[in-house]
């Protein structure tokens, strides 16, 4: 995989900031923002994908400081990773059962 340039990271950061701003405005009940459930889900999915792909704390520190929605999504990913590691390492039988149930 090729490395991202400074311009690429800047564009990604701008996109992430726009998605987080929409989520924050909707969550705050802003009257100036029309809630579109599909767009809301797409913004959340975009942020989750970016945060899962790139290290959110390293690439988006300002966004995490400013946006409650971005912080919540980053925290949800951290919790999910901890659960995944714990499940695989400490509860192998549970992992087998969950894999069978989801198949």
């Amino acid at each position: 995989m090729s490395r991202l340039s400074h311009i690429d990271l800047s564009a990604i950061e701008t996109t992430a900031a726009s998605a987080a701003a929409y989520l924050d405005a909707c969550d705050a009940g802003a009257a100036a923002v029309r809630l579109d459930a599909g767009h809301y889900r797409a913004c959340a999915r975009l942020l989750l994908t970016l945060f899962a792909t790139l290290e959110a704390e390293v690439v988006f520190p300002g966004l995490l400081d400013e946006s409650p929605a971005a912080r919540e999504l980053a925290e949800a990913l951290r919790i999910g990773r901890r659960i995944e590691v714990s499940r695989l390492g400490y509860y192998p039988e549970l992992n087998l059962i969950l894999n069978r149930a989801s198949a």
Side-chain angles (χ1 to χ4, degrees):
M1 184 171 141
S2 63
R3 294 185 148 260
L4 294 173
S5 70
H6 180 67
I7 294 170
D8 294 332
L9 286 173
S10 178
I12 290 170
E13 188 170 9
T14 301
T15 302
S18 296
Y22 181 77
L23 294 175
D24 288 333
C26 289
D27 290 347
V33 176
R34 186 178 153 266
L35 176 61
D36 177 351
H39 188 64
Y40 187 91
R41 279 191 305 273
C43 287
R45 201 172 304 125
L46 172 69
L47 282 178
L48 282 172
T49 302
L50 289 175
F51 290 174
T53 306
L54 306 168
E55 293 182 51
E57 294 79 13
V58 175
V59 179
F60 308 106
L63 181 60
L64 294 178
D65 286 341
E66 296 172 11
S67 170
R71 278 193 302 276
E72 288 174 10
L73 289 172
E75 181 65 19
L77 280 172
R78 274 193 299 276
I79 291 168
R81 287 182 187 128
R82 281 190 218 132
I83 290 171
E84 189 68 28
V85 167
S86 295
R87 190 182 78 182
L88 292 173
Y90 298 110
Y91 306 104
E93 291 112 11
L94 174 61
N95 190 47
L96 288 172
I97 292 168
L98 290 173
N99 285 339
R100 274 190 234 133
S102 66

